[in-house]
């Protein structure tokens, strides 16, 4: 079954830059939303919470920046992971931006192909659109992101593992829909 928009929003929350205000409450609350809907993500997300336990907010911001912003192969931009800096990425960003507007996903400081925007979009787009993006581009990008993160043993590996499992639910929703139509 397709995950609810709240699950996508909670994952997006965990992959957004950790501003100091409210971190202590926002991460556990997001993890709870995800694990309630997708129990198979519990170990991954508990590993994330354990990995950041005791890390001061300023240190967490620095860890996030070192993890995602300073090394291209760990970038949270889907288009970058798929195409690098070329024309195809620009086309993908234009498509994401249009879909974000159409489905009421506000654009914040990150580019339209950032995982925080893409996840929010997947939760709100029609099932067939979400399924196509989740099953193709987004899943492939997450796989590449995970490869880069595993090399540094980042606590965000668990978040991306959970994201990958949620993306799989879109594919499974496709199989269930196809079987029901027969």
């Amino acid at each position: 079954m397709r995950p609810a928009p709240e699950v996508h929003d909670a994952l997006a929350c965990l992959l957004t830059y950790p501003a100091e205000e409210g971190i202590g409450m926002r991460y556990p609350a997001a993890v709870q939303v995800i694990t309630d809907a997708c129990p198979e993500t519990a170990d991954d997300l508990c590993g994330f919470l354990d990995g950041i336990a005791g890390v001061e907010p300023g240190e967490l911001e620095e860890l996030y920046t070192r993890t995602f912003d300073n090394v291209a192969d760990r970038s949270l931009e889907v288009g970058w992971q798929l195409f690098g800096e070329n024309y195809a990425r620009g086309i993908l960003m234009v498509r994401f931006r249009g879909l974000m507007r159409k489905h009421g996903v506000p654009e914040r400081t990150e580019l339209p192909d950032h995982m925080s925007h893409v996840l929010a979009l997947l939760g709100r787009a029609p099932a067939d659109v979400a399924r196509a993006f989740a099953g193709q581009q987004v899943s492939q990008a997450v796989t590449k992101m995970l490869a880069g993160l595993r090399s540094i043993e980042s606590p965000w590996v668990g978040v991306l593992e959970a994201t990958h499992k949620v993306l799989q639910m879109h594919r499974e929703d496709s199989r269930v829909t196809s079987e029901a139509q027969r």
Side-chain angles (χ1 to χ4, degrees):
M1 187 164 91
R2 179 182 178 182
E6 295 79 20
V7 173
H8 293 85
D9 291 347
L11 283 166
C13 169
L14 298 177
L15 291 170
T16 300
Y17 182 78
E20 287 190 35
E21 191 175 313
I23 289 175
M25 297 181 319
R26 130 180 145 181
Y27 283 168
V31 166
Q32 190 66 53
V33 167
I34 300 163
T35 58
D36 284 351
C38 312
E40 62 274 17
T41 64
D43 289 342
D44 299 317
L45 295 174
C46 286
F48 168 70
L49 290 178
D50 290 345
I52 64 167
V55 177
E56 295 297 319
E59 293 171 12
L60 190 61
E61 290 176 7
E62 185 179 320
L63 177 60
Y64 181 93
T65 300
R66 273 195 327 263
T67 299
F68 297 117
D69 295 342
N70 294 338
V71 182
D73 72 342
R74 297 191 308 255
S75 167
L76 286 172
E77 280 91 14
V78 171
W80 173 261
Q81 294 295 337
L82 298 175
F83 307 113
E85 280 298 329
N86 73 31
Y87 187 72
R89 180 182 182 205
I91 292 170
L92 183 66
M93 284 199 292
V94 168
R95 178 112 192 260
F96 279 144
R97 181 172 280 137
L99 288 168
M100 287 168 61
R101 284 185 187 134
K102 183 177 182 178
H103 300 292
V105 176
E107 190 170 346
R108 295 189 177 89
T109 58
E110 301 292 351
L111 293 170
D113 65 339
H114 191 274
M115 282 299 296
S116 60
H117 289 130
V118 172
L119 286 166
L121 176 60
L122 290 177
R124 287 163 179 77
D128 58 332
V129 173
R131 198 171 27 252
F133 276 122
Q136 296 167 13
Q137 287 128 334
V138 182
S139 184
Q140 182 182 352
V142 169
T143 299
K144 290 180 83 174
M145 291 172 200
L146 275 166
L149 285 181
R150 285 187 183 117
S151 68
I152 63 164
E153 298 182 22
S154 168
W156 275 278
V157 168
V159 176
L160 284 172
E161 291 283 3
T163 300
H164 201 265
K165 289 174 182 170
V166 168
L167 294 173
Q168 288 296 115
M169 293 175 74
H170 284 277
R171 285 188 188 158
E172 292 167 9
D173 183 48
S174 169
R175 286 187 218 121
V176 169
T177 303
S178 296
E179 290 173 13
Q181 292 174 345
R182 289 183 196 168

